Amino acid sequence: MPKHTIHAVAAAAAVACLAAFGPAPVSAWPTSARDAWPGATPTPAAPRFVPGACPKPPEPIEALTKARCGFLEVPENRSRPGGRTVKLAVAIIAAATAKPAPDPVVFMAGGPGADTFDDIPFLIDSGLNKDRELIVMAQRGNLYDQPNLACPEVDRFNARAVGLGYDAPRAEQLMLKAVQGCRARLTADGVDLSAYNTTENAADFADLRKALDIPRWNVYGYSYGSNLALTYLRLHPEGIRAVAIDSVTPPKDVTLPWTWGSTAEGIHNIFEACAAQPACKDRYPDLPRTLTEQVRELEAHPLTLDVKPPSGGKPVKTVLDGGALLNLIVAFTPRPKDIPAALDELSRGNPQRFAQARAAGSVQPVGMFAHGLTNSIACGEWAPGYSESDVLKAGRKAFPGWPDTVLAQVPQLPFQYPVCGLWNVPDRAKVQRLATVSPVPALLVSGTFDVKTGASWAKGVARDLSRSTSVQIPGIGHWVVPQSPCAQRVLASFLARPTAPDTSCVDGLEPTPFTIIPK
C-alpha cells in the first residue's frame, strides 16, 4: 500500500490541520445525509454502540479486515433533547501482543474534517496498538458517519483553483459559491451546523468510553485532535489514564490570526537548521531574503504554466503566485529538506518543484474531507473576536515587507471571513478558548519544522498540566510520531509509565541533511 508508507505521512498531515481543503468516492457505508440520515431515530435514552461491518475504503486498509466496527449513536445537539441522532463510525483494532494492557488507546485525528480511518496505517506503523487495543472513531460529520459533512462542491473548486491566483477575486467568487452550495445542501437535509463543534466532539468521546464499558483509557491526538483532546480532558476527565498530544494546538490560543505566528516559527526553524549545516549554509547563504524576494516577485508577476500533475495525466494550467508559494511550504510540499533547493531553483528561473506541487492539487478525491465540520469549527471557535484586519496585522508582524495581498489570507484558510459570513454558526469563543488545567499525566510532542502548529505553543499548555513531559523533535514537521522513530519510542514509554517516560533518545537528535544541488 504505497499511500500508507511513512514517506506519505507529510502529505497526509498537509490536509489534516487548519486546512479547509481536502478530499470521497462512494464507499460501502452511507456518506450522505440524504442517503441514510433523514430517517434517524429519535434520541435514545442513552448513547449506544451498535456493532456493524467495517467500512471499505477505496484503498483497502488491512487492519480493518480484522477489526471490530460499528456506530456510536449520540444526539446531534445535546442541548435539544428529543432531537435527531448522529451515527459515528468506530473501529476497534486488536493489540499486536497476546497479553495486552487493560487500558486501550483512543485516537483523535487532525483536521477538523480529515478522514480518521485513513490514519490507521500510520498509527499501526507507529506502534499505537503494540501493547493495547487501538480505538478509532470518526469525529462527527466525517467520512463514514451519518451524516457526512463532506462538500464535493469545495473539492471541485480546489481542483480548479490551481489555475487561478491564490488570492484572486475570481478564486474568492468561486470558493464562496461552492461553500454556499454545500451549506444549502446540508441544511436542506436537516443538518444542524451549530452542533458540529469541539464541545460536542468531546462529549462524543466521553460517551464512547461509557458505551464500550471501558473503565480507563489513554488518549492520543494530533493537530486539531490535540485541541479536542485538551477540551475532552477539561470537560470529561473521568476515565482518562494519560493524554498524549502531538503538534499541539492550544484551545485557548487558536484563532485565525494565530496561524501566522506558527508559520513564521516553522519557516524560521527550517532556515536556522540549514544555516547550522555547513554545506547548506554555504550553498544557500540567505534563505530568508530569497523567500521574501520570490514571494514579492511571484505576487507581482505570477507564473502561468502548463504542468503535468505528479500522479500523471495531461498537463494542467497552473498559476504560481506569492500566496501559492507560501501555502505550498505550509502544506509540506516540497518536504522541508528540499525547501532550500526548491527556493534556490526558483530564484534561478526554475519553478518546477513548486509548480508540480501546485499542479498536484488539480487531482482531488471528491467527498472524503468534511469541509462542513472544518467551517463550523473555524467559524464558531477560531474566527470570532478578530477581523480580516487582525489577520493582516499578524501577517505583517510575521513577515515584514511581504505583499499585503499574501498576508491578508490565513495560511491554508483563504477567504475564511467571507466563508464564515455565509456559514453563519454561533460564536463559541467564550466556551472554547479556555486553558486545560489537569494533574492527569500528559505527553506533549512537537516538531521544530512544524509550520502549522509552531513547536513553542506546547510550553504554555505544559504549564497548565502539572504532570506533563514535553519533547521537541528536531527536523520534523507536522504530525511528529509517524515520522520519528524516537518520538514513537517516547510515546510507547509514556503509555507504559505515564509519569516517567524515557525521553533519552531525543538527546543529540539533529535534522537530516538538506538537499544540496550543484551551483
Side-chain angles (χ1 to χ4, degrees), residues 86-150:
V86 296
K87 296 182 178 182
L88 312 182
V90 178
I92 304 169
I93 298 164
T97 183
K99 295 182 179 181
D103 39 271
V105 177
V106 66
F107 172 63
M108 297 181 177
D115 171 17
T116 306
F117 285 77
D118 201 42
D119 290 339
I120 290 173
F122 299 126
L123 300 174
I124 291 175
D125 288 347
S126 300
L128 266 294
N129 73 321
K130 180 181 178 182
D131 299 313
R132 291 170 167 77
E133 276 189 338
L134 171 63
I135 300 173
V136 174
M137 181 169 74
Q139 295 162 26
R140 53 175 45 212
N142 276 7
L143 183 64
Y144 308 123
D145 289 344
Q146 300 174 27
N148 170 17
L149 269 59

Coordinates of all heavy atoms in Angstrom, one line a residue, residues 86-150:
V86 N -27.0 11.2 15.6 CA -26.0 11.0 14.5 C -25.3 9.7 14.8 O -25.3 9.2 15.9 CB -25.0 12.2 14.5 CG1 -25.6 13.5 14.2 CG2 -24.3 12.3 15.9
K87 N -24.7 9.1 13.8 CA -24.0 7.8 13.9 C -22.6 8.1 13.5 O -22.3 8.5 12.4 CB -24.6 6.8 13.0 CG -26.1 6.4 13.3 CD -26.6 5.3 12.4 CE -28.0 5.0 12.8 NZ -28.6 3.9 12.0
L88 N -21.7 7.7 14.5 CA -20.2 7.9 14.3 C -19.5 6.6 14.1 O -19.7 5.7 15.0 CB -19.7 8.7 15.5 CG -20.5 9.9 16.0 CD1 -19.8 10.6 17.1 CD2 -20.7 10.9 14.8
A89 N -18.8 6.5 13.0 CA -18.1 5.2 12.7 C -17.0 5.0 13.7 O -16.2 5.8 14.0 CB -17.6 5.3 11.3
V90 N -16.9 3.7 14.2 CA -15.9 3.3 15.1 C -15.2 2.0 14.7 O -15.9 1.1 14.1 CB -16.6 3.0 16.5 CG1 -15.5 2.6 17.5 CG2 -17.3 4.3 17.0
A91 N -13.9 1.9 14.9 CA -13.2 0.7 14.7 C -12.3 0.4 15.9 O -11.7 1.3 16.4 CB -12.3 0.8 13.4
I92 N -12.4 -0.9 16.3 CA -11.6 -1.3 17.5 C -10.6 -2.3 17.0 O -10.9 -3.4 16.5 CB -12.5 -1.9 18.6 CG1 -13.5 -0.9 19.0 CG2 -11.6 -2.4 19.8 CD1 -14.6 -1.5 19.9
I93 N -9.3 -2.0 17.0 CA -8.2 -2.8 16.4 C -7.5 -3.5 17.6 O -7.0 -2.8 18.5 CB -7.3 -1.9 15.6 CG1 -8.1 -1.2 14.5 CG2 -6.1 -2.6 15.1 CD1 -7.4 0.0 13.9
A94 N -7.3 -4.8 17.4 CA -6.7 -5.6 18.5 C -5.3 -5.2 18.7 O -4.6 -4.8 17.8 CB -6.9 -7.1 18.2
A95 N -4.8 -5.4 19.9 CA -3.4 -5.2 20.2 C -2.6 -6.3 19.5 O -3.0 -7.4 19.3 CB -3.1 -5.3 21.7
A96 N -1.3 -6.0 19.2 CA -0.4 -6.9 18.5 C 0.0 -8.0 19.4 O 0.4 -9.1 19.0 CB 0.8 -6.2 17.9
T97 N 0.1 -7.7 20.7 CA 0.6 -8.7 21.7 C -0.6 -9.6 22.1 O -1.7 -9.2 22.1 CB 1.2 -8.0 22.9 OG1 1.7 -8.9 23.8 CG2 0.2 -7.1 23.6
A98 N -0.2 -10.8 22.6 CA -1.2 -11.7 23.0 C -1.8 -11.4 24.4 O -2.9 -11.8 24.8 CB -0.6 -13.1 23.1
K99 N -1.0 -10.6 25.2 CA -1.5 -10.2 26.5 C -1.4 -8.6 26.6 O -0.5 -8.1 27.2 CB -0.6 -10.8 27.6 CG -0.7 -12.3 27.6 CD 0.2 -12.9 28.7 CE 0.0 -14.4 28.8 NZ 0.9 -15.0 29.9
P100 N -2.4 -8.0 26.1 CA -2.4 -6.5 26.1 C -2.7 -5.9 27.4 O -3.3 -6.5 28.3 CB -3.5 -6.2 25.1 CG -4.5 -7.3 25.2 CD -3.6 -8.5 25.4
A101 N -2.3 -4.7 27.6 CA -2.6 -3.9 28.8 C -4.1 -3.7 28.8 O -4.8 -3.6 27.7 CB -1.9 -2.6 28.8
P102 N -4.7 -3.5 30.0 CA -6.2 -3.4 30.0 C -6.7 -2.0 29.6 O -7.9 -1.9 29.3 CB -6.4 -3.5 31.5 CG -5.2 -3.1 32.2 CD -4.1 -3.5 31.3
D103 N -5.9 -1.0 29.5 CA -6.3 0.3 29.1 C -6.0 0.6 27.6 O -4.8 0.8 27.3 CB -5.7 1.4 30.0 CG -4.3 1.1 30.3 OD1 -4.0 0.4 31.3 OD2 -3.4 1.5 29.6
P104 N -7.0 0.7 26.7 CA -6.7 0.9 25.3 C -6.3 2.4 25.1 O -6.3 3.2 26.0 CB -8.1 0.6 24.7 CG -9.1 0.9 25.7 CD -8.4 0.5 27.0
V105 N -5.9 2.6 23.8 CA -5.6 4.0 23.3 C -6.8 4.4 22.4 O -7.1 3.7 21.5 CB -4.3 4.0 22.6 CG1 -4.1 5.4 22.0 CG2 -3.2 3.6 23.5
V106 N -7.3 5.6 22.6 CA -8.3 6.1 21.7 C -7.7 7.3 20.9 O -6.9 8.1 21.5 CB -9.6 6.6 22.4 CG1 -9.3 7.8 23.4 CG2 -10.7 7.0 21.4
F107 N -7.9 7.3 19.6 CA -7.2 8.3 18.8 C -8.1 9.4 18.4 O -9.3 9.2 18.0 CB -6.7 7.5 17.5 CG -6.2 8.4 16.4 CD1 -5.1 9.2 16.6 CD2 -6.8 8.5 15.2 CE1 -4.5 10.0 15.6 CE2 -6.3 9.3 14.2 CZ -5.2 10.0 14.4
M108 N -7.6 10.6 18.4 CA -8.3 11.8 17.9 C -7.6 12.4 16.8 O -6.4 12.9 16.9 CB -8.5 12.8 19.1 CG -9.3 12.2 20.2 SD -9.5 13.4 21.6 CE -10.6 12.5 22.6
A109 N -8.2 12.4 15.6 CA -7.5 12.8 14.4 C -7.4 14.3 14.2 O -8.1 15.1 14.9 CB -8.2 12.2 13.2
G110 N -6.6 14.7 13.3 CA -6.4 16.2 12.9 C -7.5 16.6 12.0 O -8.5 16.0 11.8
G111 N -7.4 17.8 11.6 CA -8.4 18.4 10.7 C -8.7 19.8 11.1 O -7.8 20.7 11.0
P112 N -9.9 20.1 11.6 CA -11.0 19.1 11.7 C -11.6 18.8 10.3 O -11.6 19.7 9.4 CB -12.0 19.9 12.6 CG -11.7 21.3 12.3 CD -10.3 21.4 12.1
G113 N -12.0 17.6 10.1 CA -12.6 17.2 8.9 C -11.9 16.1 8.1 O -12.4 15.6 7.2
A114 N -10.7 15.8 8.6 CA -9.9 14.8 7.9 C -10.5 13.4 8.1 O -11.0 13.1 9.2 CB -8.4 14.8 8.4
D115 N -10.3 12.5 7.1 CA -10.7 11.1 7.2 C -9.9 10.4 8.3 O -8.7 10.1 8.1 CB -10.6 10.4 5.9 CG -10.8 8.9 5.9 OD1 -11.4 8.4 6.9 OD2 -10.4 8.2 5.0
T116 N -10.5 10.0 9.4 CA -9.8 9.4 10.5 C -9.3 8.0 10.1 O -8.2 7.6 10.5 CB -10.8 9.3 11.7 OG1 -11.3 10.6 12.0 CG2 -10.0 8.7 12.9
F117 N -10.1 7.2 9.4 CA -9.7 5.8 9.1 C -8.5 5.8 8.2 O -7.7 4.8 8.3 CB -10.9 5.1 8.5 CG -12.0 4.7 9.5 CD1 -12.9 5.7 10.0 CD2 -12.1 3.5 10.0 CE1 -13.8 5.4 10.9 CE2 -13.0 3.1 10.9 CZ -13.9 4.1 11.4
D118 N -8.3 6.8 7.4 CA -7.1 6.8 6.6 C -5.8 6.9 7.4 O -4.7 6.7 6.9 CB -7.2 8.0 5.6 CG -6.3 7.9 4.4 OD1 -6.3 6.8 3.8 OD2 -5.7 8.9 4.0
D119 N -5.9 7.3 8.7 CA -4.7 7.4 9.5 C -4.3 6.1 10.1 O -3.3 6.0 10.7 CB -5.0 8.4 10.7 CG -5.1 9.9 10.2 OD1 -4.6 10.2 9.1 OD2 -5.7 10.7 10.9
I120 N -5.2 5.1 10.1 CA -4.9 3.8 10.8 C -3.6 3.2 10.4 O -2.8 2.8 11.3 CB -6.1 2.9 10.5 CG1 -7.3 3.3 11.3 CG2 -5.7 1.4 11.0 CD1 -8.6 2.5 11.0
P121 N -3.2 3.1 9.1 CA -1.9 2.5 8.8 C -0.7 3.3 9.5 O 0.2 2.6 10.0 CB -1.8 2.6 7.3 CG -3.2 2.6 6.9 CD -3.9 3.4 7.9
F122 N -0.8 4.6 9.6 CA 0.3 5.4 10.2 C 0.3 5.0 11.7 O 1.4 4.9 12.3 CB 0.0 6.9 10.1 CG 0.1 7.3 8.6 CD1 -1.0 8.1 8.1 CD2 1.1 7.0 7.8 CE1 -1.0 8.5 6.8 CE2 1.1 7.4 6.5 CZ 0.1 8.2 6.0
L123 N -0.9 4.9 12.3 CA -0.9 4.6 13.8 C -0.3 3.2 14.1 O 0.4 3.0 15.0 CB -2.4 4.7 14.2 CG -3.1 6.0 14.1 CD1 -4.6 5.9 14.4 CD2 -2.4 7.1 14.9
I124 N -0.7 2.2 13.2 CA -0.2 0.9 13.4 C 1.3 0.9 13.2 O 2.1 0.3 14.0 CB -0.9 -0.1 12.5 CG1 -2.4 -0.2 13.0 CG2 -0.2 -1.5 12.5 CD1 -3.2 -1.1 12.2
D125 N 1.8 1.5 12.1 CA 3.2 1.6 11.9 C 4.0 2.3 13.0 O 5.2 2.0 13.2 CB 3.5 2.3 10.6 CG 3.1 1.5 9.3 OD1 2.9 0.3 9.5 OD2 3.1 2.1 8.2
S126 N 3.3 3.1 13.7 CA 3.9 3.9 14.8 C 3.8 3.1 16.1 O 4.3 3.6 17.2 CB 3.3 5.2 15.0 OG 3.4 6.0 13.8
G127 N 3.2 1.9 16.1 CA 3.2 1.1 17.3 C 2.0 1.4 18.3 O 2.1 0.9 19.4
L128 N 1.0 2.1 17.9 CA 0.0 2.5 18.8 C -0.8 1.3 19.3 O -1.4 1.4 20.4 CB -1.0 3.5 18.1 CG -0.8 5.0 18.4 CD1 -1.0 5.4 19.8 CD2 0.6 5.4 17.9
N129 N -0.9 0.2 18.6 CA -1.6 -1.0 19.0 C -0.6 -2.1 19.4 O -1.0 -3.3 19.5 CB -2.6 -1.5 18.0 CG -1.9 -2.2 16.8 OD1 -0.8 -1.7 16.4 ND2 -2.4 -3.2 16.3
K130 N 0.6 -1.8 19.7 CA 1.6 -2.8 20.0 C 1.2 -3.5 21.3 O 1.2 -4.8 21.4 CB 3.0 -2.2 20.2 CG 4.1 -3.2 20.6 CD 5.4 -2.5 20.7 CE 6.5 -3.6 21.1 NZ 7.8 -2.9 21.4
D131 N 0.8 -2.8 22.4 CA 0.5 -3.4 23.7 C -0.9 -3.1 24.1 O -1.3 -3.6 25.2 CB 1.5 -2.8 24.7 CG 2.9 -3.1 24.4 OD1 3.3 -4.2 24.1 OD2 3.8 -2.1 24.5
R132 N -1.7 -2.5 23.3 CA -3.0 -2.1 23.7 C -4.0 -2.1 22.5 O -3.5 -2.0 21.4 CB -3.1 -0.7 24.3 CG -2.4 -0.5 25.6 CD -2.2 0.9 26.0 NE -1.9 1.1 27.4 CZ -0.6 0.8 27.8 NH1 0.3 0.5 27.0 NH2 -0.4 0.9 29.1
E133 N -5.2 -2.3 22.8 CA -6.2 -2.1 21.7 C -6.1 -0.6 21.3 O -5.9 0.3 22.1 CB -7.6 -2.3 22.2 CG -8.1 -3.8 22.2 CD -9.6 -3.9 22.5 OE1 -10.2 -3.0 23.2 OE2 -10.1 -4.9 22.2
L134 N -6.4 -0.4 20.0 CA -6.5 0.9 19.4 C -7.9 1.2 19.0 O -8.5 0.4 18.2 CB -5.5 1.0 18.2 CG -5.6 2.3 17.4 CD1 -5.3 3.5 18.2 CD2 -4.7 2.2 16.2
I135 N -8.5 2.3 19.5 CA -9.9 2.6 19.2 C -9.9 3.9 18.3 O -9.3 4.9 18.7 CB -10.7 2.8 20.4 CG1 -10.7 1.6 21.3 CG2 -12.1 3.2 20.1 CD1 -11.3 1.7 22.6
V136 N -10.5 3.8 17.2 CA -10.6 4.9 16.2 C -12.0 5.3 16.0 O -12.8 4.4 15.6 CB -9.9 4.5 14.9 CG1 -10.0 5.6 13.9 CG2 -8.4 4.2 15.1
M137 N -12.4 6.5 16.2 CA -13.7 7.0 15.9 C -13.7 8.2 15.0 O -12.9 9.2 15.3 CB -14.5 7.3 17.1 CG -15.9 7.8 16.9 SD -17.0 7.9 18.3 CE -16.4 9.3 19.1
A138 N -14.4 8.2 13.9 CA -14.5 9.4 13.1 C -15.3 10.5 13.8 O -16.4 10.3 14.3 CB -15.3 9.0 11.8
Q139 N -14.7 11.7 13.9 CA -15.4 12.8 14.6 C -16.7 13.1 13.8 O -16.7 12.9 12.6 CB -14.5 14.0 14.6 CG -13.2 13.8 15.5 CD -12.1 14.7 15.2 OE1 -12.4 15.9 14.8 NE2 -10.9 14.4 15.5
R140 N -17.6 13.6 14.5 CA -19.0 13.8 13.9 C -18.9 14.6 12.6 O -18.2 15.6 12.5 CB -19.9 14.5 14.9 CG -19.3 15.8 15.5 CD -20.3 16.5 16.4 NE -21.0 15.6 17.3 CZ -22.2 15.8 17.7 NH1 -22.9 16.8 17.3 NH2 -22.8 14.9 18.6
G141 N -19.6 14.1 11.6 CA -19.6 14.7 10.3 C -18.6 14.3 9.4 O -18.6 14.7 8.2
N142 N -17.7 13.4 9.8 CA -16.6 12.9 9.0 C -17.0 11.8 8.1 O -18.1 11.2 8.2 CB -15.4 12.5 9.8 CG -14.5 13.6 10.2 OD1 -14.8 14.8 10.0 ND2 -13.4 13.3 10.8
L143 N -16.1 11.4 7.2 CA -16.4 10.3 6.3 C -16.8 9.0 7.1 O -16.2 8.7 8.1 CB -15.1 10.0 5.5 CG -15.2 8.9 4.4 CD1 -16.2 9.3 3.3 CD2 -13.8 8.7 3.8
Y144 N -17.8 8.3 6.6 CA -18.3 7.1 7.1 C -19.3 7.4 8.3 O -19.9 6.4 8.8 CB -17.3 6.1 7.6 CG -16.2 5.8 6.5 CD1 -14.9 6.0 6.7 CD2 -16.6 5.3 5.3 CE1 -13.9 5.7 5.8 CE2 -15.7 5.0 4.3 CZ -14.4 5.2 4.5 OH -13.4 5.0 3.5
D145 N -19.5 8.6 8.6 CA -20.5 9.0 9.6 C -21.8 9.3 8.9 O -21.9 9.5 7.7 CB -20.1 10.3 10.4 CG -19.0 10.1 11.4 OD1 -18.7 8.9 11.7 OD2 -18.4 11.1 11.8
Q146 N -22.9 9.3 9.7 CA -24.2 9.7 9.2 C -24.7 10.8 10.1 O -25.0 10.5 11.3 CB -25.2 8.5 9.2 CG -24.7 7.3 8.3 CD -25.6 6.1 8.5 OE1 -26.8 6.2 8.8 NE2 -25.0 5.0 8.3
P147 N -24.8 12.1 9.7 CA -24.5 12.5 8.3 C -23.0 12.7 8.1 O -22.2 12.9 9.1 CB -25.2 13.8 8.2 CG -25.2 14.4 9.6 CD -25.3 13.2 10.5
N148 N -22.6 12.8 6.8 CA -21.2 13.2 6.4 C -21.3 14.6 5.9 O -22.0 14.9 5.0 CB -20.8 12.2 5.4 CG -19.5 12.6 4.7 OD1 -18.7 13.4 5.3 ND2 -19.2 12.0 3.5
L149 N -20.5 15.5 6.5 CA -20.5 16.9 6.2 C -19.4 17.2 5.1 O -18.8 18.2 5.1 CB -20.2 17.8 7.4 CG -21.5 18.2 8.1 CD1 -22.3 17.0 8.6 CD2 -21.2 19.1 9.3
A150 N -19.3 16.2 4.2 CA -18.4 16.5 3.0 C -19.0 17.6 2.1 O -20.2 17.8 2.1 CB -18.2 15.2 2.2

